[in-house]
Amino acid sequence: MKYLPWLGILRSNFRNMPTLNLFTNVPVDAVIASDILKDSTKAVAKIIGKPESYVMILINGGVPIAFAGTEVPAAYGELISIGGLGPSVNGKLSSTIAEILQTKLSIDASRFYIKFYDVQSSPFGLHLGNPLARFFGFNGSTF
């Protein structure tokens, strides 16, 4: 298949587009949500080393969660990134996000669990049918 010139640009711009999805059983009002979104965006961008314009944060408050057999305030997160993650970075992200949740929602760090997905990019994504092309999309295209 013919090489698509924009593919290289798309890959270079979104090579490491991290997304943090947070769930908590604590109700989150709009003001607190905005603070968490801003603080988490800054933290993820700084720790991973990418511009804030690449980072997406979602927060889902008031979700039924039982952790360690209780419904005491808790949170779960998933951070997905195309590269950029590893033991050192993951540790910093985990502690920083836990601190944000402690400060903004009074969720103890021992009640926060985060799962990291480091998805490796491939130079063959779109035009050779790499399975990654099914999982990542932006602006009407997959990568």
Side-chain angles (χ1 to χ4, degrees), residues 1-57:
M1 188 176 276
K2 185 177 176 187
Y3 176 74
L4 303 172
W6 55 266
L7 182 61
I9 294 168
L10 182 65
R11 260 205 197 89
S12 65
N13 286 342
F14 299 102
R15 181 164 182 80
N16 187 3
M17 192 170 187
T19 301
L20 174 62
N21 200 358
L22 294 169
F23 301 87
T24 178
N25 54 0
V26 176
V28 181
D29 69 34
V31 173
I32 297 296
S34 182
D35 288 346
I36 293 169
L37 293 172
K38 288 176 192 171
D39 293 350
S40 297
T41 297
K42 288 180 188 308
V44 170
K46 181 179 179 183
I47 294 167
I48 291 181
K50 292 295 175 178
E52 289 182 26
S53 61
Y54 287 18
V55 177
M56 179 181 286
I57 309 291

Side-chain angles (χ1 to χ4, degrees), residues 6-7 10-11 125-126 132-138 140-143:
W6 55 266
L7 182 61
L10 182 65
R11 260 205 197 89
L126 276 176
L132 284 180
R134 295 180 296 171
F135 299 117
F136 296 97
F138 175 76
S141 298
T142 54
F143 59 98

